[in-house]
Amino acid sequence: MQLFVDFLDQRIDLAQAESLTFGREADLVLDTNPRLPPVVGRFVSRCGQWWLRNERRDDELLVKDLCSPSRCSIAPGAEAPLWFPSAAVAFACGPARYEVSLALGVPHRGPRVSTRRLNAEQRALLLVLAENRLRSRGRDASLPSNAQAAALLGWSITKLNRKLDHLCIKFAKLGVEGLRGSPTRLASDRRRRLVDHCIAEGIVSVADLAVTAPAPRSTHGSARSATVSA
């Protein structure tokens, strides 16, 4: 089984018998933050199972399932098997927070969404939701509330909710999990799941923020200008 590791614009595909460290001076360099240890953690495969070892001496690593509320903690010096098909490894170093995304097996369960399959308003909505995460370079930054996002776009809250619904449906049909509710689980965390997926897949990036400027607000609910046509 393969392991796919993502951090910002870096993506590494690991086959069995390979290993990967991440940290300040590791195979996957996360940041130059002096508080970040040279090696934070290590992914290693043994007997067909992927494991994560916490190489830190002072704090735990949190592994969060991106498709459910499930999570597990790995103590300093300990290791644990990776069971979640799609997850994020979260940890803090001083005031800075980091998340490394990972997926087991085949990373795409359906056709990949390209930027050209998003219209201008869908892309503008994604960029507003993802902006804090993109500017924080992968740290666990908060997303704007729906009301804040609507104000930035010059939309009504009703329009934003409708556009968000349509966007989640589009990605859910292509196999992205955690974007729809069910009788046993509400999709209350769908915005974070949507943003995590779109950043990991390169659907939105820091470069988009540099070339996408806010358009004048309109009472008719026009969105930010976007560089990708419908």
Side-chain angles (χ1 to χ4, degrees), residues 22-44:
F22 57 93
R24 178 166 49 87
E25 299 175 1
D27 300 324
L28 175 60
V29 177
L30 304 182
D31 200 353
T32 57
N33 177 3
R35 293 192 179 187
L36 188 67
V39 176
V40 174
R42 181 187 305 272
F43 298 107
V44 61

Side-chain angles (χ1 to χ4, degrees), residues 102-118:
L102 59 94
L104 293 170
V106 180
H108 306 298
R109 300 186 180 182
R112 180 172 178 171
V113 175
S114 72
T115 55
R116 294 189 179 277
R117 295 179 66 175
L118 300 176

Side-chain angles (χ1 to χ4, degrees), residues 16-17 44-51:
Q16 291 187 23
V44 61
S45 175
R46 292 197 300 270
C47 300
Q49 173 69 55
W50 283 99
W51 295 71

Side-chain angles (χ1 to χ4, degrees), residues 7 12 25 31 46 48 58 62 68 73 98 104 110-111 116 121 131 134 142 144 148 162 174 185 191 215 220 229:
F7 182 76
I12 300 176
E25 299 175 1
D31 200 353
R46 292 197 300 270
D58 58 352
L62 180 64
S68 79
S73 298
Y98 300 87
L104 293 170
R116 294 189 179 277
E121 289 190 332
E131 182 171 359
L134 290 170
S142 61
Q148 290 171 328
R162 184 175 70 251
L174 291 168
R185 187 182 75 231
R191 298 186 315 143
H220 299 291
S229 60

Side-chain angles (χ1 to χ4, degrees), residues 10 24 52 59-60 83 97 108 121 138 152 175 184 197:
Q10 303 177 79
R24 178 166 49 87
L52 171 59
D59 208 351
E60 64 183 18
W83 297 109
R97 300 186 63 84
H108 306 298
E121 289 190 332
L152 288 169
T184 58
H197 175 80

Side-chain angles (χ1 to χ4, degrees), residues 6 11 19 30 37 71-72 76 85-86 99 110 128 130 137 166 195:
D6 290 277
R11 175 167 187 159
S19 65
L30 304 182
R71 56 187 59 199
C72 71
S86 181
E99 279 197 4
V128 165
R137 294 184 57 80
H166 291 166
V195 168

Side-chain angles (χ1 to χ4, degrees), residues 28-214:
L28 175 60
V29 177
L30 304 182
D31 200 353
T32 57
N33 177 3
R35 293 192 179 187
L36 188 67
V39 176
V40 174
R42 181 187 305 272
F43 298 107
V44 61
S45 175
R46 292 197 300 270
C47 300
Q49 173 69 55
W50 283 99
W51 295 71
L52 171 59
R53 178 174 178 81
N54 185 354
E55 301 286 2
R56 303 183 70 180
R57 298 180 180 179
D58 58 352
D59 208 351
E60 64 183 18
L61 296 179
L62 180 64
V63 182
K64 304 186 295 185
D65 183 9
L66 296 180
C67 302
S68 79
S70 300
R71 56 187 59 199
C72 71
S73 298
I74 306 176
E79 61 181 22
L82 298 174
W83 297 109
F84 305 138
S86 181
V89 181
F91 56 94
C93 292
R97 300 186 63 84
Y98 300 87
E99 279 197 4
V100 177
S101 299
L102 59 94
L104 293 170
V106 180
H108 306 298
R109 300 186 180 182
R112 180 172 178 171
V113 175
S114 72
T115 55
R116 294 189 179 277
R117 295 179 66 175
L118 300 176
N119 63 37
E121 289 190 332
Q122 289 171 335
R123 189 163 179 76
L125 174 55
L126 274 179
L127 286 172
V128 165
L129 292 177
E131 182 171 359
N132 289 345
R133 293 290 300 275
L134 290 170
R135 294 194 186 281
S136 69
R137 294 184 57 80
R139 298 171 185 135
D140 192 15
S142 61
L143 272 60
S145 67
N146 282 3
Q148 290 171 328
L152 288 169
L153 291 163
W155 296 354
S156 68
I157 191 67
T158 300
K159 177 176 179 177
L160 184 134
N161 287 334
R162 184 175 70 251
K163 294 292 183 180
L164 181 60
D165 286 341
H166 291 166
L167 199 55
C168 287
I169 290 171
K170 176 189 285 284
F171 281 91
K173 287 181 177 179
L174 291 168
V176 181
E177 299 181 354
L179 300 182
R180 284 180 166 176
S182 70
T184 58
R185 187 182 75 231
L186 297 176
S188 57
D189 206 25
R190 62 178 182 167
R191 298 186 315 143
R192 182 188 60 80
R193 178 68 185 111
L194 178 65
V195 168
D196 284 347
H197 175 80
C198 290
I199 291 177
E201 295 299 321
I203 295 169
V204 291
S205 67
V206 175
D208 295 315
L209 299 176
V211 298
T212 305

